[in-house]
Amino acid sequence: KQWYQRRVRGSSVGVAMPSQAMIDDAKAFLKTESTDGGGNVYDHLCKVLHSVLENRPLNPVDHFEDISRGVRAAEAVERELGEEEVRVARTQSQLFERSNSEDVEPEPEDEVEMPLPDLMDIAHHFEYAGIGLG
């Protein structure tokens, strides 16, 4: 492995900096698929970190292993269901999520266009005119 020292203003600073080749080699190692078809370390870490950044728990170090187990369980369910079912489930789950704009109650509209006539209003007018059905 190649490590080098970086020079800062003429003095040698003992900061170990990996080369781009070493970074690429490490990344390729992390992207190696597992033998049981369970994915790779790189993708799993990306999902765990995404979950930590999205949920922002109070003590992420304390919950890291639990989050990792949850991500692994979700990945196992995804493998069982299949890609199409997972895509449909994710799309449909967005329908049930509440956004900030939905927290405010909508203002009632004064003039609501109704596709069908208001039968109770029409019956009231007929009764007022003395016309009855019975």
Side-chain angles (χ1 to χ4, degrees), residues 82-93:
E83 289 183 27
E84 183 64 24
E85 291 172 325
V86 170
R87 186 185 61 77
V88 170
R90 284 186 180 148
T91 302
Q92 290 177 348
S93 71

Short mmCIF file of all heavy atoms in Angstrom, two decimals, residues 82-93:
data_model
loop_
_atom_site.label_atom_id
_atom_site.label_comp_id
_atom_site.label_asym_id
_atom_site.label_seq_id
_atom_site.Cartn_x
_atom_site.Cartn_y
_atom_site.Cartn_z
N GLY A 82 -39.74 -9.07 -4.79
CA GLY A 82 -39.45 -8.82 -6.20
C GLY A 82 -39.46 -7.33 -6.48
O GLY A 82 -40.07 -6.54 -5.75
N GLU A 83 -38.82 -6.95 -7.56
CA GLU A 83 -38.64 -5.53 -7.88
C GLU A 83 -39.95 -4.80 -8.16
O GLU A 83 -40.17 -3.70 -7.68
CB GLU A 83 -37.70 -5.39 -9.08
CG GLU A 83 -36.27 -5.72 -8.79
CD GLU A 83 -35.39 -5.49 -10.00
OE1 GLU A 83 -35.74 -4.63 -10.83
OE2 GLU A 83 -34.36 -6.17 -10.10
N GLU A 84 -40.82 -5.41 -8.94
CA GLU A 84 -42.06 -4.73 -9.33
C GLU A 84 -42.95 -4.47 -8.12
O GLU A 84 -43.50 -3.37 -7.97
CB GLU A 84 -42.82 -5.57 -10.37
CG GLU A 84 -44.08 -4.93 -10.88
CD GLU A 84 -43.83 -3.63 -11.64
OE1 GLU A 84 -42.74 -3.43 -12.16
OE2 GLU A 84 -44.77 -2.81 -11.71
N GLU A 85 -43.09 -5.46 -7.25
CA GLU A 85 -43.92 -5.27 -6.07
C GLU A 85 -43.35 -4.22 -5.13
O GLU A 85 -44.10 -3.44 -4.53
CB GLU A 85 -44.08 -6.61 -5.33
CG GLU A 85 -44.92 -7.61 -6.10
CD GLU A 85 -44.91 -8.98 -5.44
OE1 GLU A 85 -43.87 -9.34 -4.87
OE2 GLU A 85 -45.95 -9.65 -5.49
N VAL A 86 -42.04 -4.17 -5.00
CA VAL A 86 -41.40 -3.17 -4.15
C VAL A 86 -41.61 -1.78 -4.73
O VAL A 86 -41.92 -0.83 -4.01
CB VAL A 86 -39.89 -3.47 -3.98
CG1 VAL A 86 -39.18 -2.32 -3.30
CG2 VAL A 86 -39.70 -4.76 -3.20
N ARG A 87 -41.49 -1.64 -6.04
CA ARG A 87 -41.70 -0.34 -6.68
C ARG A 87 -43.13 0.15 -6.46
O ARG A 87 -43.36 1.30 -6.10
CB ARG A 87 -41.40 -0.43 -8.18
CG ARG A 87 -41.44 0.92 -8.89
CD ARG A 87 -41.25 0.76 -10.38
NE ARG A 87 -42.29 -0.03 -11.02
CZ ARG A 87 -43.53 0.43 -11.29
NH1 ARG A 87 -43.86 1.65 -10.96
NH2 ARG A 87 -44.41 -0.34 -11.87
N VAL A 88 -44.10 -0.75 -6.63
CA VAL A 88 -45.50 -0.38 -6.42
C VAL A 88 -45.75 -0.02 -4.96
O VAL A 88 -46.44 0.96 -4.66
CB VAL A 88 -46.43 -1.53 -6.87
CG1 VAL A 88 -47.86 -1.28 -6.45
CG2 VAL A 88 -46.35 -1.70 -8.38
N ALA A 89 -45.17 -0.79 -4.04
CA ALA A 89 -45.35 -0.52 -2.61
C ALA A 89 -44.77 0.84 -2.23
O ALA A 89 -45.38 1.58 -1.45
CB ALA A 89 -44.71 -1.62 -1.78
N ARG A 90 -43.60 1.18 -2.76
CA ARG A 90 -43.01 2.49 -2.44
C ARG A 90 -43.86 3.62 -2.99
O ARG A 90 -44.04 4.64 -2.34
CB ARG A 90 -41.59 2.57 -3.01
CG ARG A 90 -40.60 1.79 -2.22
CD ARG A 90 -39.20 2.00 -2.72
NE ARG A 90 -38.25 1.22 -1.92
CZ ARG A 90 -37.15 0.72 -2.39
NH1 ARG A 90 -36.81 0.92 -3.65
NH2 ARG A 90 -36.35 0.03 -1.62
N THR A 91 -44.37 3.43 -4.20
CA THR A 91 -45.22 4.46 -4.80
C THR A 91 -46.49 4.64 -3.97
O THR A 91 -46.90 5.76 -3.69
CB THR A 91 -45.58 4.07 -6.24
OG1 THR A 91 -44.38 3.89 -6.98
CG2 THR A 91 -46.42 5.14 -6.89
N GLN A 92 -47.11 3.53 -3.57
CA GLN A 92 -48.34 3.62 -2.80
C GLN A 92 -48.11 4.13 -1.39
O GLN A 92 -48.98 4.78 -0.82
CB GLN A 92 -49.03 2.26 -2.77
CG GLN A 92 -49.59 1.87 -4.12
CD GLN A 92 -50.22 0.49 -4.11
OE1 GLN A 92 -50.05 -0.28 -3.18
NE2 GLN A 92 -50.95 0.17 -5.17
N SER A 93 -46.96 3.86 -0.81
CA SER A 93 -46.70 4.34 0.55
C SER A 93 -46.63 5.86 0.59
O SER A 93 -46.96 6.47 1.61
CB SER A 93 -45.41 3.73 1.10
OG SER A 93 -44.30 4.27 0.44
#
